Amino acid sequence: MPAIGSNRQNYFYQICIILQAKYQIDFVINNSINPVTMTKFIKKDDVSSSWYEIDATNAVVGRLAAVISLIVRGKNKATYTPHMDHGDFVVVKNIEHAKFTGKKFKDKIYYRHTGHPGGIKETTPERLHEKKPGETLKLAVKRMLPGGVLGRKQLTKLKIYSGSDHPHTAQNPEIIDLAKLNNKNLVRN
C-alpha cells in the first residue's frame, strides 16, 4: 500500500472504488498500522544474558571473531533486535594459542591515528601479540560490531584471558566447541 497522504494512495483509493462498483467486491482500506503484522521486539525487562566459554587453542582468529560477534550481538537468538543489547557474554581462554592463517601474523598491518598531524601509527599482529595477547581478537570482534554506543556496550560482553583459568566459573558458562561448528575453525599443523 502506498504511503499515507500521497497521491498514489488517492489513486489507489479511486481504483478500489471503481473495482468495488464494477465487480461488487468490498475492499477494506485501512490506513492504520496493523498490530498483527508488526514485528515483535523484545522488551527491556525480557532481556536475559547467558554465558559461553570458548577455548581459543589453535583457533583461527577471524573465524573465532565471527562466532563471537554473532553471540555478543544476540544474533544467535530468535528474539534478535537490532537496536537493543541483548547478546550473551563470551569468555575466551587460551588466547595466546590463537593462530592467523598464511603470513598474516607477520605481514598484516593495523593502523591507528593519534589525532595529531602526521600521527599515523602502524603495528603488526606479531608485535601486538607480544604486548597484549588478546588485542588482535578484540580488534577483529570490534570491527564486526556496529560503530557507536551500542557496539561499545556489546564489546564489554567479551572477556579474553590468557591461560585456561578465568574468574567467571561461577556463571557456569556453556562450552562451545569450535571444531564442531566447522572444521576450518581450527588450524591443523
Side-chain angles (χ1 to χ4, degrees), residues 2-161:
I4 296 171
S6 68
N7 289 337
R8 278 195 200 164
Q9 185 193 18
N10 295 336
Y11 177 74
F12 180 73
Y13 181 75
Q14 291 170 359
I15 295 290
C16 288
I17 299 296
I18 293 169
L19 291 176
Q20 282 178 358
K22 185 175 182 181
Y23 297 109
Q24 305 300 322
I25 300 172
D26 188 28
F27 288 104
V28 177
I29 299 174
N30 188 0
N31 289 336
S32 66
I33 297 172
N34 188 355
V36 177
T37 59
M38 284 183 59
T39 304
K40 302 286 187 270
F41 287 123
I42 192 167
K43 301 286 187 273
K44 206 172 195 178
D45 300 334
D46 302 334
V47 173
S48 64
S49 296
S50 55
W51 287 73
Y52 293 97
E53 179 181 312
I54 300 176
D55 188 4
T57 305
N58 291 330
V60 179
V61 172
R63 287 177 171 271
L64 177 62
V67 171
I68 291 170
S69 66
L70 286 177
I71 296 170
V72 168
R73 282 208 74 190
K75 283 192 165 189
N76 59 334
K77 298 180 179 180
T79 58
Y80 169 69
T81 308
H83 66 277
M84 287 186 67
D85 177 27
H86 71 286
D88 298 323
F89 289 88
V90 178
V91 178
V92 181
K93 61 182 188 176
N94 294 324
I95 191 63
E96 70 275 4
H97 300 299
K99 307 283 187 204
F100 280 87
T101 55
K103 298 179 183 177
K104 283 182 263 189
F105 192 62
K106 293 182 180 179
D107 294 347
K108 185 178 174 77
I109 298 174
Y110 292 116
Y111 293 100
R112 65 182 180 86
H113 202 282
T114 61
H116 296 285
I120 191 101
K121 303 287 182 185
E122 62 181 43
T123 185
T124 63
E126 187 176 30
R127 283 185 274 165
L128 199 58
H129 188 75
E130 291 169 5
K131 293 179 183 177
K132 301 176 187 175
E135 197 64 22
T136 54
L137 178 65
K138 190 174 180 181
L139 277 173
V141 172
K142 180 182 178 182
R143 293 170 182 186
M144 293 181 188
L145 295 176
V149 178
L150 181 64
R152 287 192 296 274
K153 186 177 179 188
Q154 288 171 343
L155 191 61
T156 61
K157 293 190 173 196
L158 173 62
K159 315 292 182 187
I160 303 173
Y161 298 102

